[in-house]
Amino acid sequence: MAEHLSQSELDYPFKLLEYFNGFRISKIIFSACELGVFDLLLTSDPLSAGQIAAQLNLSADGAERLLDALVGIEILEVDTTQATALYSSTDVSSLYLARGSSKSLWDMIQYQSQTIYPLWNNMADAVREGKNQNEKTFGLPSEQIFQAIYRSEEEMLKFMGLMNSSWILDGHDIVTAFDLAPFKSIVDLGGCTGALAREVSRQYPSSAVTVFDLPSVTEAAQKHFTQEDDNITFQSGDFFTDVLPLADLFVLARIVHDWPEEKCLSLLRRIHSVCKPGGGVLLVEALLFENRRGPVMTQCFSLNMLVQTEGRERTSSEYIAILNKSGFHNVQVSRTGKCYDAILALR
């Protein structure tokens, strides 16, 4: 930004003020989701602020202000040609923000609002200390990151919903970044709800696809996230300590970024030891640019790894180095142009 500012932008910092207010925009959307605004408008004709307030048990004044802000950021529409303003959904709010939509990000939003947002209140301390803020935010031990994330069934389901939403958006681009058809047995380590495994199975129906995750996670996944046309299986275990299943390809999606390098090396070496000759590993991560100039979203993700886990986001060269140290070679990198990218390495 600083290298390309016009004189008018230097005279009045519009962009900087927009950044300052970014958290307010987030909370406008988060609050509307929590209050059920998008769910109501998905299934109704245009409504006035008073009607929305009455149906959702809100104050009329508060509802009107929130609705107008949603119109301002182009999440809702408003018709002011009548005596009373009438509010309605946009394609974006109907598709991504209403809970009933097939591409709903409602679960992601709940997790961002109720878990990530409080953690980020302690970002300055995370930067000072170089460690996560689970203890300060939630009163939980900083060393046990997944015990913090899975601290109750409710919190575990929130996190699983977040992961499920991620692959609703990015799953197809990930599984088609490379031709995975030659791999006839595929294991998604830490595959959570099975959302990415489901995409793999749909794209490569001749491959057997298994999700390997902690017992509590696989139980919840099969209880809350299965679909009628599922062609995936679940197996319980801890990929750091338990015997890993044999496979042609192991998928690690948003796993390696959780940990410092030594723990990543330990996991990848375990995978290498059971990987069949000609088999490989597919890493799915948000890649930083080598020149340190972005992507901004990935830089934000890396700060989130600081405030919540022990890990970080990395550049493609850093992932290649870790894979090579673990015994994997013939590394290929595919940038999808979306949030998450793919790295395929062979044994």
Side-chain angles (χ1 to χ4, degrees):
M1 182 178 77
E3 295 179 5
H4 307 290
L5 287 178
S6 66
Q7 187 57 51
S8 63
E9 290 170 318
L10 287 172
D11 290 339
Y12 195 89
F14 287 102
K15 197 68 174 178
L16 194 58
L17 292 173
E18 182 181 332
Y19 291 159
F20 287 173
N21 283 284
F23 77 96
R24 302 177 201 263
I25 301 298
S26 299
K27 265 303 184 182
I28 288 167
I29 299 170
F30 295 168
S31 299
C33 274
E34 182 180 333
L35 295 169
V37 171
F38 305 118
D39 300 319
L40 174 61
L41 290 176
L42 179 68
T43 57
S44 66
D45 293 328
L47 298 172
S48 69
Q51 290 172 316
I52 293 170
Q55 293 196 46
L56 299 178
N57 196 28
L58 312 175
S59 72
D61 179 47
E64 184 175 65
R65 297 186 200 205
L66 180 63
L67 293 164
D68 285 343
L70 290 164
V71 170
I73 60 175
E74 300 181 351
I75 299 294
L76 293 182
E77 292 282 358
V78 66
D79 181 356
T80 58
T81 58
Q82 308 297 322
T84 301
L86 297 177
Y87 300 87
S88 59
S89 296
T90 61
D91 290 342
V92 167
S93 64
S94 294
L95 187 60
Y96 293 115
L97 300 179
R99 198 172 187 179
S101 167
S102 62
K103 289 193 173 184
S104 175
L105 301 181
W106 192 90
D107 288 322
M108 178 186 288
I109 287 165
Q110 295 308 299
Y111 193 80
Q112 298 276 13
S113 180
Q114 297 172 17
T115 300
I116 302 302
Y117 196 89
L119 280 164
W120 276 62
N121 281 330
N122 294 310
M123 177 57 69
D125 287 334
V127 173
R128 286 190 195 99
E129 300 162 8
K131 67 178 187 180
N132 71 58
Q133 297 298 302
N134 288 316
E135 185 170 359
K136 189 168 294 180
T137 309
F138 303 117
L140 299 165
S142 60
E143 300 81 14
Q144 301 173 343
I145 63 171
F146 275 91
Q147 285 86 337
I149 290 171
Y150 296 156
R151 59 190 179 273
S152 68
E153 183 177 7
E154 180 185 4
E155 291 301 320
M156 182 176 69
L157 288 173
K158 285 181 188 175
F159 178 77
M160 294 176 73
L162 165 74
M163 299 300 290
N164 204 65
S165 295
S166 296
W167 304 131
I168 287 173
L169 283 181
D170 291 81
H172 180 74
D173 294 283
I174 290 300
V175 303
T176 57
F178 302 103
D179 180 13
L180 304 182
F183 302 105
K184 297 305 178 185
S185 58
I186 300 173
V187 173
D188 187 355
L189 294 173
C192 202
T193 66
L196 185 60
R198 206 166 280 119
E199 289 290 340
V200 174
S201 181
R202 288 169 181 162
Q203 187 67 29
Y204 306 101
S206 63
S207 297
V209 183
T210 300
V211 173
F212 186 90
D213 213 318
L214 297 171
S216 59
V217 176
T218 57
E219 181 182 351
Q222 292 174 90
K223 182 178 179 181
H224 297 284
F225 294 95
T226 54
Q227 297 183 6
E228 288 184 5
D229 61 345
D230 271 355
N231 192 28
I232 60 176
T233 58
F234 288 85
Q235 182 175 338
S236 297
D238 184 327
F239 52 58
F240 280 115
T241 58
D242 292 333
V243 175
L244 297 176
L246 297 177
D248 297 321
L249 180 70
F250 292 90
V251 179
L252 290 169
R254 296 182 65 183
I255 300 295
V256 177
H257 76 162
D258 286 333
W259 312 105
E261 183 170 327
E262 283 307 311
K263 202 156 185 176
C264 297
L265 288 169
S266 173
L267 175 57
L268 287 167
R269 284 167 178 159
R270 292 195 85 226
I271 294 169
H272 185 269
S273 70
V274 299
C275 194
K276 296 178 181 179
V281 62
L282 178 71
L283 303 188
V284 182
E285 299 288 357
L287 295 178
L288 291 164
F289 294 149
E290 301 287 345
N291 65 6
R292 312 183 75 85
R293 294 184 178 275
V296 173
M297 186 178 295
T298 306
Q299 291 167 327
C300 290
F301 288 169
S302 197
L303 280 168
N304 195 69
M305 293 298 98
L306 172 65
V307 82
Q308 189 176 23
T309 72
E310 300 174 1
R312 63 184 304 118
E313 307 300 346
R314 297 175 172 90
T315 64
S316 57
S317 63
E318 288 173 319
Y319 281 115
I320 291 168
I322 291 172
L323 286 163
N324 289 163
K325 288 179 185 178
S326 306
F328 290 98
H329 300 284
N330 301 318
V331 183
Q332 304 173 63
V333 177
S334 175
R335 287 188 176 272
T336 66
K338 307 288 178 63
C339 281
Y340 297 102
D341 306 302
I343 304 174
L344 179 64
L346 301 180
R347 187 182 189 280

